[in-house]
Amino acid sequence: MSVFKYAFVWNCVCILIINIHPTTSIENELSECIIAGPGIIPNRVVLPARYFFIQSTGRCNISQAELAVELKGKSEHGPCRIWTQILDRHDGSFIVRYKMFQYCDDMEIHVTWKGFHLAKSPYTFKGRIYAEACDCPLDSIDEMIADYQCSTDVAQIDNDLSRFHNVDFSQVLSEAIKRFSHAGSYSFCHYVVLSNKIHRRCYGQHVGFNMFMDNILLSLSRKAILPDMEFLINLGDWPLVKKNVVPIIPIFSWCGSTETADIVMPTYDITEASLECMGRVTLDMLSVQSSPEIRWENKQDKAFWRGRDSRRERLNLVKLSRRHPELINASLTNFFFFRDEEKTYGPKEDHVSFFKFFDYKYQLNIDGTVAAYRFPYLLAGDAVVFKQDSEYYEHFYSDLKPNVHYIPIKADLSDLVEVIKWAKTHDEEVRQIGANGRQYARSHLLPKDIICYHATLFKKWSQKLKNPVRVLDQMTLVKPSNSTDKRLGSCQCVKKISHMEL
Ligand SMILES: *[C@@H]1O[C@H](CO)[C@@H](O)[C@H](O)[C@H]1NC(C)=O
Ligand SMILES: *[C@@H]1O[C@H](CO)[C@@H](O)[C@H](O)[C@H]1NC(C)=O
Ligand SMILES: *[C@@H]1O[C@H](CO)[C@@H](O)[C@H](O)[C@H]1NC(C)=O
């Protein structure tokens, strides 16, 4: 009887010892961390810089110290060359991003903290993982849209395209030339994509910005065989297609307005930042999330703004800032449009690094010639955005709600001072609006989202065309630039394995 009893006690002790064993415990805790994002499915999503997120949750609480990410695999001449960065978002989550310079076979991603694997690490992939420069397209854009989990239900795209059916493009082109090519005052290009080759002819004097369109089209054409299509893109700042001039012709623009009917696409700025992430561009939608940490309560509760003099309200803002230095810190960094007023509103001040903007709680988004293309970055940063009411919009504005994602201010800034005073006395509310804006940017404006928007837009647009497309005389074949060519060196495509098992 008593022997039995002791055995029972011993059993309990044994179980207890197993449960508090330190190794088992930390591994359990770290498995509760969440790892997610396109960079963790590199077999399905190809990006110039791939990225994924590590999120502390539940019992998993990690810090950047001793957080390690290792990517391994085989390439042509030995181990894969992959450049990795870990960005701290200062909220218990991290962005891991990495750039591959060639393909990588049998890749493994190890994410560890203090030497222990996090979440479901290690992640292993049989077969070939392509780099951005690999020209190994999927069979169709639909396949890409599925693999990338692109959203196909995009209200802005559907609205913009709803006007057009069975489009006879030769008529569109001749009408556009008639309306927009006089005196070289407009710049636009006609693109033709046929058998996944890109051709264009541009009209107007300042057509250098066509490189942005070339870059995104080339990038897409390496990822999937694009549908045959043709379209016009406006390279100028202002949207072109007046709603009251018929026929309404389809033209893609980087900025829309309530007065016009242009088809909006993500701006060249955020598109290029998405493609040149970990490349030529230092400010992108990922890097902006890791501005140096200043806790909310230590930020200055003032509105901060720097920019050039591209609209009268920006000058007025400087005037307001001088009258209310305790509320607004705003200066012009360049005079071009109102040079003769530099005496009054200058002298121009040095640039302030965008990352330093977030030393301040309140960020101002004031139009320039058109919408201020900094809005996505302001939303993604650790602050709250005060957005000027405006007729201009970018591709994502219709998703946003005033007083939910940003704080609205009047177009003439007449209520700005009052609204800042309100914000100073409603800190929790304001902080929450900042968090909502940031959450929106994190889930809708990252590089994959920008590439996806183009994929969905082009797919839907291609279905609107009536006639088969053809390459016209005087069109130029768009080729990858030299730097891409060099990286293409060692990128053989392998026959794709069916994704059915996913
Ligand atoms: C996570 O760890 C840090 C430092 O180790 C600690 O200050 C913080 O309170 C922890 N957070 C949670 C949610 O346990
Ligand atoms: C405005 O901001 C700049 C940059 O942070 C700072 O150097 C300057 O002192 C500020 N001006 C005022 C009046 O606070
Ligand atoms: C590309 O390379 C060729 C030959 O190396 C050179 O002649 C040409 O200028 C380069 N083009 C650009 C745009 O750099």
Side-chain angles (χ1 to χ4, degrees), residues 416-435:
L416 178 60
V417 166
E418 187 190 324
V419 174
I420 296 171
K421 284 182 180 163
W422 171 86
K424 285 174 73 124
T425 56
H426 293 76
D427 197 56
E428 260 319 300
E429 222 171 314
V430 167
R431 187 180 186 171
Q432 185 59 47
I433 295 172

Side-chain angles (χ1 to χ4, degrees), residues 56 58-63 113:
S56 302
R59 290 179 297 157
C60 175
N61 180 8
I62 55 166
S63 58
W113 190 61

Side-chain angles (χ1 to χ4, degrees), residues 126-146:
K126 284 267 152 285
R128 181 151 298 182
I129 303 295
Y130 294 123
E132 165 72 13
C134 297
D135 193 4
C136 301
L138 297 168
D139 290 341
S140 75
I141 196 126
D142 289 310
E143 217 173 311
M144 175 189 162
I145 286 170

Side-chain angles (χ1 to χ4, degrees), residues 39 42 50 52 69-73 79-85 96-98 100 104 107-110:
R50 286 175 167 94
F52 60 86
V69 176
E70 205 185 344
L71 289 99
K72 305 186 225 193
C80 303
R81 286 197 306 133
I82 305 176
W83 174 36
T84 308
Q85 280 181 336
V96 176
R97 57 181 186 172
Y98 59 96
M100 297 171 46
C104 186
M107 194 160 111
E108 294 184 11
I109 305 178
H110 294 229

